Amino acid sequence: MFRKSFKMRIIIPTVTIFVVLVVALNLFLSFRFSALSGFLINEKLISNTNSLKNYLGDCEANSRAAALSMASNARAVEAIKERDRREILRIFTPTHDLYQISFYTICDADGFVLARTYSPDQFGDNVLSQHSFREALAGNTITNFEEAAMVKVSLRTGTPVYDADGALVGAILAGVRFDLDSEVERLKEIFHSEITVFLGSTRVATTITKNGQSIVGTELDSRIGEVVIQNRREYSGDADILGEKYKTFYMPLLNAGGDAFATFFLGIPEAEVISAVNSTMYAGLALGFGGLLISILLLYKFISSISKPITRLSGDMESIANGALDVDIQVKGEDEVGLLGASLQRVADILYKLIDDINMMISEQRQGNTDYSLDASEFLGDYKVLAENILELAALGNLDQLTGIPNRRSFDNRLEMEWGRAIRDHTPISILMIDVDKFKNYNDAFGHQQGDVALKTVARVLRQSGKRSIDFAARWGGEEFVVLLPGTDAQGAVTVAENIREEVGGTEIPCADEAGAKVTISVGVNTQTPTSNSLMSGFISGADAALYQAKGTGRNRVCLHDGRL
């Protein structure tokens, strides 16, 4: 009799039902979300862009109306003529809201400021460096964007002021400023978009925050800056602002000279668009979950007859997922579930052995034993590749890539192990600090590649100098090397150091000083029988001091630390 396999009993109904549901749900949500999000964000950005341009047009009209109106106000003209700063402020300040402007600046006929409504205590300075004032005092009424010392970015109208006799008595500047956070916050409420004003490529006012902090002072994307500032063209499109995605519009603000000295920014976070179409997503999710509920009811009939071994196997898999690799999987048999259980057991056994070997290797290397490694040949397939990659990674982490001998990290681990052993056994331990003499001159004369050859040669000598398995040579850094000699007294350490020095000196390597000369080394030796109160840092410093003495007394020699630092 034909026996339906486990695979047929579970896969066919599951795949059929869930494929239909997933495809339908994804098609529905993807279509609705893409269509609505793209349409809404583009429509909102276009609307806000037009609103911004209309707003700036209104600002231009308002500033012009304010300047011309006040220039024809008899009381204002008289106050300017009399240079009565208090009266000027009393007359001008209340009209801010009337004309929907931010400030007035009033100067005399020589360009000296009589009053500023936004900063009453600041007056007396000369403003002829500003184009709008120069034009106004030349008899012209001009409206333009401009940068000034106190108001960084504003739209302003400058107009001359004449007394009843037609004599020029000064100039009025009426402006709307955009360089304050309070101003862009107000605009955010108007346009329901994030607002930023750039001076050059630097944000001087913005509603955008990062981790609760305003991003004022950050820089405009150089790619966008090239379009807006250098080419003086508007830019619309996607932008990444400190990790957040925005739909954006950038508009250059041109001064009287036609330069884009500032930029206006409108931005709509994509998160807002997602929120705007949540209702559509909820409808799709409701449809999907409804279908899923029906699928679960149908699947229950199929799964109930075979759930027991799957539940048991699921428990074993959960144990493995939680790190319990020494499990004994009880699900056995010749059907698909039994075969899956056997395969899972083999996987757990392989991973258990691999992790155990890795832990052993790490433990040995932490103790400075870089020779121990796991045996990659014990594994097959990708597990073998993984083991080989781990071995390669361990080598990269413990060996110096240029010289092939242990690196500083390996030395630190070995020193810590041998130092503890010397304390326990009350035995001496010696260290050789080695430096290649005049290595900079060598590099300058022969080039860095030949310098690498010299360093490799010194490393080879050090590697071959170790007569005992516990002797340990490593690259300290740059042209410095270090040799650790456990259980070696000062006399023995000096002997080893001299042998190394002579061996290096007898090696044929070009040198910077003279053709055919040898590379030489200087060696500092320190020996100590440490106690629990001894410091490894002092042990290393002693060798370093001895090395300094060797180099200071002529190089190409060995010096033993005398205990004084």
Side-chain angles (χ1 to χ4, degrees), residues 28-218:
F28 174 77
L29 289 179
S30 297
F31 174 78
R32 295 292 296 168
F33 181 81
S34 299
L36 284 176
S37 63
F39 175 78
L40 288 176
I41 196 167
N42 288 328
E43 285 296 311
K44 183 176 181 181
L45 188 62
I46 292 171
S47 174
N48 288 353
T49 298
N50 293 331
S51 297
L52 173 63
K53 293 179 179 180
N54 292 335
Y55 171 78
L56 294 177
D58 292 342
C59 290
E60 180 177 349
N62 292 339
S63 69
R64 194 173 186 87
L68 292 173
S69 176
M70 297 307 293
S72 62
N73 184 303
R75 291 188 302 120
V77 172
E78 184 63 24
I80 295 172
K81 182 177 180 179
E82 296 297 325
R83 308 176 66 86
D84 188 342
R85 185 174 64 86
R86 193 180 301 274
E87 181 67 8
I88 292 172
L89 291 173
R90 189 187 69 78
I91 295 171
F92 279 79
T93 302
T95 68
H96 284 177
D97 292 338
L98 175 64
Y99 294 108
Q100 298 183 18
I101 63 170
S102 305
F103 67 94
Y104 290 101
T105 301
I106 301 94
C107 74
D108 62 16
D110 295 320
F112 290 97
V113 175
L114 298 174
R116 288 184 171 95
T117 59
Y118 62 92
S119 183
D121 296 331
Q122 298 288 331
F123 61 92
D125 53 305
N126 192 283
V127 289
L128 288 179
S129 61
Q130 298 180 32
H131 181 267
S132 50
F133 273 114
R134 289 198 308 272
E135 287 294 316
L137 292 175
N140 303 315
T141 297
I142 183 171
T143 303
N144 62 280
F145 290 99
E146 191 168 8
E147 175 188 0
M150 298 182 64
V151 179
K152 299 297 185 184
V153 182
S154 66
L155 177 63
R156 50 178 63 187
T157 296
T159 190
V161 179
Y162 299 97
D163 64 10
D165 298 327
L168 181 69
V169 296
I172 295 173
L173 186 72
V176 180
R177 67 187 305 179
F178 307 110
D179 58 342
L180 298 177
D181 283 345
S182 58
E183 292 295 325
V184 295
E185 287 291 345
R186 182 177 64 84
L187 295 181
K188 179 179 180 179
E189 294 180 2
I190 296 174
F191 300 120
H192 302 290
S193 299
E194 300 295 343
I195 307 293
T196 296
V197 175
F198 294 87
L199 178 61
S201 61
T202 302
R203 292 178 175 88
V204 295
T206 184
T207 61
I208 301 176
T209 60
K210 184 74 172 179
N211 298 324
Q213 299 293 322
S214 172
I215 65 169
V216 166
T218 55

Side-chain angles (χ1 to χ4, degrees), residues 217-239:
T218 55
E219 295 297 310
L220 173 67
D221 185 292
S222 59
R223 176 179 57 87
I224 299 174
E226 182 177 355
V227 175
V228 179
I229 298 175
Q230 296 181 23
N231 298 332
R232 297 175 294 180
R233 291 191 290 110
E234 296 178 354
Y235 173 87
S236 295
D238 297 329

Side-chain angles (χ1 to χ4, degrees), residues 397-504:
N398 291 284
L399 295 179
D400 178 65
Q401 295 304 295
L402 175 64
T403 62
I405 64 174
N407 58 19
R408 172 74 175 274
R409 181 176 134 197
S410 296
F411 172 78
D412 290 341
N413 291 336
R414 177 62 69 91
L415 175 58
E416 184 174 356
M417 179 187 72
E418 295 295 350
W419 187 263
R421 180 181 299 170
I423 293 174
R424 292 191 303 270
D425 298 343
H426 305 290
T427 56
I429 184 171
S430 295
I431 183 174
L432 313 182
M433 192 66 71
I434 301 167
D435 185 83
V436 179
D437 294 330
K438 297 182 180 180
F439 188 69
K440 182 179 182 305
N441 294 340
Y442 186 92
N443 263 344
D444 292 342
F446 296 101
H448 291 287
Q449 288 186 338
Q450 189 62 30
D452 290 347
V453 172
L455 293 177
K456 292 177 182 178
T457 303
V458 173
R460 175 176 54 79
V461 172
L462 295 180
R463 187 165 49 240
Q464 295 173 352
S465 67
K467 304 303 182 184
R468 306 173 302 169
S469 61
I470 59 174
D471 294 341
F472 191 84
R475 187 180 181 187
W476 182 260
E479 67 270 23
E480 288 189 304
F481 297 85
V482 64
V483 176
L484 188 66
L485 302 172
T488 304
D489 57 19
Q491 182 178 355
V494 169
T495 299
V496 172
E498 286 289 355
N499 290 338
I500 293 173
R501 185 188 65 80
E502 292 176 1
E503 180 68 20
V504 171

Side-chain angles (χ1 to χ4, degrees), residues 287-343:
L287 176 63
F289 281 117
L292 183 61
L293 179 60
I294 296 174
S295 299
I296 292 174
L297 294 176
L298 293 174
L299 286 172
Y300 179 79
K301 180 179 179 180
F302 295 102
I303 295 175
S304 58
S305 63
I306 52 176
S307 61
K308 186 175 180 179
I310 292 178
T311 301
R312 184 181 301 168
L313 187 57
S314 177
D316 293 334
M317 294 175 70
E318 184 69 19
S319 298
I320 294 173
N322 291 330
L325 298 177
D326 55 343
V327 296
D328 182 13
I329 296 176
Q330 298 298 316
V331 176
K332 304 182 185 303
E334 296 182 358
D335 62 5
E336 288 86 346
V337 178
L339 295 175
L340 179 61
S343 298

